[in-house]
Amino acid sequence: MDDYPPGFFDPRHSHVRAQLVYATSGVTILSTNDASYVAPPQRAIWIPAGVEHEVRCRGRVLIRTLYISPDAAPDLPKTCQVIEVSNLLRELILAAAELPIEYDLEGRDARIMMLILDEIHCARRIPLCVPMPVNERLARICKTILADPAQHDALNDWASAAAMGRRTFTRSFRRETGMSFAMWRQQVRLMDALSRLATGHSVTATALDVGYNSPSAFTAMFRRTFGVSPTHYLTDEPAQVLTAVP
């Protein structure tokens, strides 16, 4: 088990094996060239082999990481995913963390690892991510917002910062991310809000910190997106599966 302090940052890197990163406490924020992901406690991030990524920690983060050879799991996702960790998968991860590196390939240890692969394959994917554009100017804007989602700059200001006209900016952003700039920024704020709630911030403080004018406006958007109120999330999160409501 790894114990990381609040604000810990692991610079961009990759691994020859796939990873399942599971935090028992704190929030893990992972960024790749293609997207940014957030995993509250009791969620995990699947990272395929060879994918370059960087990691930030919000709050003190206790992590258990499983490394999986690509040829052991050819049918698992080829892109990063945030997944729900069932009670069974959680206990299997905890058990696997106690196994020796060179475990018995014919006995109980091997069966634990095979069952973990089955559980990862069946786990529900949770859409706690935002796509990142390839265009360098748009990507720079997105990284600025990810670092501080509460910014209230107008669309014209962001277009100007990207050295684009408003129409070019909006069309390019939708083409590269599959969503409007306003929707993308809203998703970033909600993801940031989830991580703050998970590390003990109040609903009021969270709403203001991520850029909403009032707790009521934040609560309405949160409920519309996830189907539950922030208070429900705070009190029942470990058992509550949060997915975006269509």
Side-chain angles (χ1 to χ4, degrees):
M1 181 173 68
D2 296 313
D3 185 350
Y4 297 110
F8 175 82
F9 173 66
D10 194 3
R12 186 157 296 232
H13 61 284
S14 63
H15 300 274
V16 296
R17 291 178 291 174
Q19 288 178 274
L20 184 70
V21 179
Y22 170 63
T24 57
S25 68
V27 173
T28 307
I29 302 169
L30 180 139
S31 298
T32 69
N33 289 333
D34 300 321
S36 180
Y37 306 80
V38 59
Q42 313 307 326
R43 306 291 183 259
I45 302 178
W46 168 259
I47 310 169
V51 174
E52 290 193 351
H53 59 281
E54 60 186 39
V55 178
R56 296 181 185 275
C57 296
R58 171 159 283 164
R60 180 189 175 196
V61 177
L62 299 177
I63 287 180
R64 285 178 170 84
T65 303
L66 301 183
Y67 293 92
I68 301 168
S69 175
D71 58 5
D75 59 341
L76 291 179
K78 306 302 181 185
T79 59
C80 294
Q81 306 274 347
V82 179
I83 66 170
E84 174 191 355
V85 176
S86 66
N87 291 337
L88 174 57
L89 180 55
R90 180 176 65 251
E91 295 304 318
L92 288 168
I93 292 171
L94 297 181
E98 302 299 323
L99 299 181
I101 295 177
E102 299 293 334
Y103 59 83
D104 181 3
L105 297 179
E106 301 297 331
R108 171 182 176 273
D109 296 352
R111 291 193 293 272
I112 288 175
M113 298 308 297
M114 291 302 298
L115 187 51
I116 285 174
L117 296 182
D118 287 341
E119 284 296 296
I120 295 173
H121 180 75
C122 296
R124 183 179 304 189
R125 276 47 176 172
I126 304 175
L128 294 179
C129 67
V130 289
M132 293 292 286
V134 175
N135 181 284
E136 291 183 4
R137 288 179 289 173
L138 295 178
R140 185 174 65 250
I141 297 300
C142 289
K143 290 176 182 177
T144 300
I145 294 172
L146 284 167
D148 181 13
Q151 297 180 74
H152 282 287
D153 297 47
L155 177 58
N156 286 340
D157 296 326
W158 290 116
S160 177
M164 295 179 178
R166 178 189 176 102
R167 180 171 296 183
T168 299
F169 180 85
T170 56
R171 288 180 175 177
S172 298
F173 197 93
R174 183 180 289 276
R175 182 175 62 250
E176 295 215 10
T177 65
M179 62 177 66
S180 70
F181 177 72
M183 183 178 296
W184 187 93
R185 183 162 59 172
Q186 173 186 297
Q187 183 73 357
V188 169
R189 287 178 171 177
L190 289 172
M191 285 172 49
D192 193 53
L194 281 175
S195 68
R196 291 175 184 275
L197 291 172
T199 51
H201 292 231
S202 70
V203 172
T204 297
T206 295
L208 300 178
D209 286 345
V210 302
Y212 284 87
N213 293 326
S214 68
S216 59
F218 165 67
T219 297
M221 180 59 68
F222 193 99
R223 184 186 294 277
R224 186 156 59 246
T225 303
F226 295 117
V228 296
S229 70
T231 301
H232 189 177
Y233 174 82
L234 282 170
T235 58
D236 198 33
E237 192 275 335
Q240 177 68 39
V241 177
L242 289 181
T243 55
V245 175

